[in-house]
Amino acid sequence: GHTASRTDTRIGSLSFTWATGTNGTPTPATGTPMTWGPDFTYGATGRGSINNSGTNQLINQITDTSTINYRYDNGTWRVEAGVSRSAAQTKRRYADAGFFLEAAAIQRVPIRVNYHDISGARPGTIEIFNNTNQVFDWTDISNLRGSIARNVTLNNRSGNNNGFVNVRRQLDFMPVPTSLQVGASRREQMLDTNIQDERWTFMGPDGASTTTAPLDPYLMQVYKNVDPGYGFPNIPWMSPLRAWRAFQLNPLLYQKTEAQRVTEGNYAVDNSEHIEETVQAAYIQAETNLFRNRLRVLGGVRFERTHDEGQGGINDTDAVWQRNADGSYVRNPQTGLRVRKPEAGAAGSYQEFLLTRKFRASRSTRTYDGYYPSLHFTFNVTENFLARAAYAKTYGRPNFSDIIPRTVIAPLDLDDDDPDPSTGRGTLTIRNPNLSPWTADNFDLSAEYYTDSGGVLSAGVFLKELTNFFGDSAKVATAADVAELGIDRRYIGWNIVSKFNSGDARITGAEVSVKQSLRVFGKWGTPFTLFGNFTKLELDGNPGASFTSFIPKSGNWGVTFARKRITFTARWNYRGLDKRLPQAAFGQNGYEYLEARTVLDINGSYQLTKRLSIVASANNILNEPVRFLRYGDLTPSYAKQYAEQEYGIQMAVGLRGTF
């Protein structure tokens, strides 16, 4: 199938889905196969769909931060110390706000959807017909019926406590300028998430007229005659506000099914997580200047220890089966099938959910540490020209979303006496709390040239040799695997889908940066400064290596205007093609990608007094959309785009003070 969709976060989303016939090829109403291609395609009879989803957005966030710093410097001793804390809470309760997150409608009758002139962005023309080949007018609300309403409630908390102390001593007794510095720090971070996704089914005002009840009372009254873009005509959007108000007056209008209650419970378990991370570090470093201060050498070593404690949900579908005293399944003597527990209810029931899903029942504790040395050289080739060389051992932590424990257990119905089935005994989709950080040996060479007019030009190359790099993997569990994941030995021989330390990887790259004032052009150019930097990476690793945090091509450039009390900056940011998670449905080498994108951000300030300024910023002022691509080696170019989302322009205005 293929979907053309339009999403506007201010209003809602509209999607048209084209589906193939049973033979896997596009077919018109007559059933005659048509040729797949960008110029002319047919949807299969009765297999298309329309989804009109009106949305409202609500997020309430409170953040408080406090910081205290101390600094002492008498030329021989320098002491720096500080403590800080921050706490944030994000809440979203649509019921309190008086509207749904989403209210949706779909077509009343079976339809087929035709796409013509397909390009990378959208079909040039979308045609919709019913099963009698009559044109279906999707802009007529009488042709649509109510489907679902939805709310997403969240209560997320996070906190950070930090403290540090650095002590530096100038060693005046040395023959060359030399200093020694030691320091220590501690960071405590907490993340607690609770998210619920509630859904209701539209039943009509009498609780029974799902397919016939008119939708006019539930349409948006403000967003009418609004051009949603992409050449679509005026859309009669469903209104989450009016639908909610009608629901409060008449509870028969929307009702929950058993399946929705189960889905709601599963989502709540999967999205109730807690983690606390404590990082303690200490370091020592020395600095000296040689060859009449032309060569600066800085080196040291840092010790860092990390301790994580996490909680997450568990899904044990194996819990519905009765077992004998020896642990084997109880089976029906006539059929040989496993026997369910009486309290498990029917498959897919809410009783089964209560038995198999447990909130924060999976716990993990993880501690790791290491020493990380570094050595840096800076040489003044001339007064305006610097050359730098450096080595540093660094590491990358796993994301919280990879190590907060969560396990989904899906057994196969196998005989107990089959010790080694070729397909595995079942599948465990499990996060890996024992995922180790990757480490890297980093080598950097760079040069900087400072112009007489205050500009700077720099260029550099670098190499990162990574060990224990992250990778996504699916494999049959060995005794060593279950020990690493901290799970029971009875899961040896099961298929495990998780993230592992996949082995070595290499990142090579180059970067160029330039900054130059235009004062060389006279008085008119003095307020202007041009800047830009660009980075290119080459990524190499095992097939499962996860490079999702590395963008092969990126850069930004812009101009700053600064005169008297006014400062203004325009910055263009470019992010190249971003490779994400594998997508097996798209065949060999199928992956999801974020398309390359350039956005324009602006910010400015006006100095009111010596200590007080007005500041303002606007991000992505051209409202460039985010495009998601999904494709493999055989996907045609016009079918690569999966979705496109617009988030609008983010703006902020405030006061900045220094006291």
Side-chain angles (χ1 to χ4, degrees), residues 82-122:
V83 293
S84 65
R85 65 168 297 277
S86 65
Q89 184 171 28
T90 302
K91 286 188 175 183
R92 182 167 61 193
R93 280 185 54 84
Y94 288 95
D96 293 345
F99 49 78
F100 286 119
L101 163 66
E102 173 186 2
I106 61 175
Q107 75 283 352
R108 289 186 183 274
V109 299
I111 61 170
R112 61 183 177 90
V113 179
N114 296 349
Y115 294 162
H116 297 272
D117 305 319
I118 299 175
S119 65
R122 57 151 290 180

Side-chain angles (χ1 to χ4, degrees), residues 295-579:
L295 176 63
R296 179 187 177 211
V297 182
L298 175 66
V301 62
R302 178 183 180 89
F303 172 79
E304 195 158 297
R305 180 180 183 270
T306 301
H307 178 75
D308 292 321
E309 294 184 5
Q311 295 174 267
I314 190 168
N315 179 12
D316 187 359
T317 57
D318 196 42
V320 302
W321 307 112
Q322 297 183 35
R323 288 184 178 269
N324 297 308
D326 62 358
S328 62
Y329 292 114
V330 174
R331 294 185 177 270
N332 185 304
Q334 283 76 38
T335 64
L337 298 177
R338 289 177 292 183
V339 179
R340 292 174 67 89
K341 295 177 181 178
E343 64 270 28
S349 67
Y350 194 71
Q351 290 90 338
E352 182 183 70
F353 158 76
L354 294 174
L355 192 63
T356 59
R357 303 306 306 272
K358 304 297 180 185
F359 281 91
R360 300 191 178 184
S362 183
R363 299 171 180 264
S364 67
T365 301
R366 171 73 165 143
T367 301
Y368 54 87
D369 54 45
Y371 291 89
Y372 305 97
S374 63
L375 186 61
H376 304 262
F377 299 91
T378 303
F379 184 67
N380 288 69
V381 181
T382 66
E383 184 177 356
N384 292 359
F385 183 48
L386 298 180
R388 302 181 187 272
Y391 163 79
K393 187 178 182 67
T394 61
Y395 72 101
R397 304 177 189 277
N399 294 326
F400 283 167
S401 59
D402 293 325
I403 60 175
I404 297 177
R406 181 195 295 175
T407 302
V408 178
I409 304 171
L412 297 177
D413 187 4
L414 300 171
D415 292 332
D416 296 311
D417 57 359
D418 187 350
D420 188 24
S422 58
T423 58
R425 306 200 65 84
T427 298
L428 280 78
T429 302
I430 185 170
R431 289 177 177 174
N432 186 356
N434 293 320
L435 188 67
S436 298
W438 52 259
T439 58
D441 291 309
N442 303 271
F443 304 89
D444 294 84
L445 292 173
S446 64
E448 299 173 10
Y449 179 75
Y450 296 85
T451 67
D452 295 334
S453 57
V456 59
L457 172 65
S458 65
V461 294
F462 53 87
L463 167 66
K464 299 179 182 292
E465 296 281 4
L466 298 104
T467 304
N468 280 337
F469 195 56
F470 303 146
D472 298 305
S473 177
K475 62 180 180 179
V476 177
T478 64
D481 293 327
V482 298
E484 177 186 352
L485 294 170
I487 57 179
D488 194 279
R489 287 182 58 85
R490 68 188 176 100
Y491 294 115
I492 295 175
W494 286 52
N495 294 311
I496 292 183
V497 179
S498 186
K499 180 164 283 189
F500 292 84
N501 294 106
S502 65
D504 298 339
R506 170 179 289 186
I507 301 174
T508 56
E511 53 190 354
V512 177
S513 177
V514 61
K515 182 178 180 180
Q516 178 61 54
S517 169
L518 298 186
R519 71 180 69 174
V520 294
F521 294 104
K523 184 177 180 180
W524 72 266
T526 300
F528 294 95
T529 300
L530 302 180
F531 61 87
N533 60 74
F534 305 90
T535 302
K536 174 70 169 63
L537 303 179
E538 292 289 343
L539 311 175
D540 183 31
N542 293 329
S546 178
F547 287 109
T548 55
S549 58
F550 298 94
I551 309 299
K553 296 179 181 179
S554 62
N556 64 79
W557 59 93
V559 58
T560 295
F561 174 87
R563 185 173 183 180
K564 296 182 179 180
R565 297 186 175 188
I566 298 175
T567 301
F568 174 84
T569 299
R571 182 188 303 269
W572 286 262
N573 298 280
Y574 170 78
R575 288 173 61 89
L577 186 67
D578 184 358
K579 185 177 181 181

Side-chain angles (χ1 to χ4, degrees), residues 4-65:
S5 63
R6 163 66 176 166
T7 298
D8 187 324
T9 55
R10 301 166 303 172
I11 308 173
S13 65
L14 179 74
S15 64
F16 305 91
T17 299
W18 170 97
T20 63
T22 56
N23 61 356
T25 58
T27 56
T30 60
T32 304
M34 302 297 294
T35 301
W36 173 278
D39 297 325
F40 192 65
T41 62
Y42 271 100
T45 302
R47 296 284 301 281
S49 66
I50 298 173
N51 186 70
N52 177 324
S53 175
T55 59
N56 281 356
Q57 298 286 346
L58 170 70
I59 296 179
N60 298 319
Q61 183 167 322
I62 299 175
T63 302
D64 65 89
T65 302

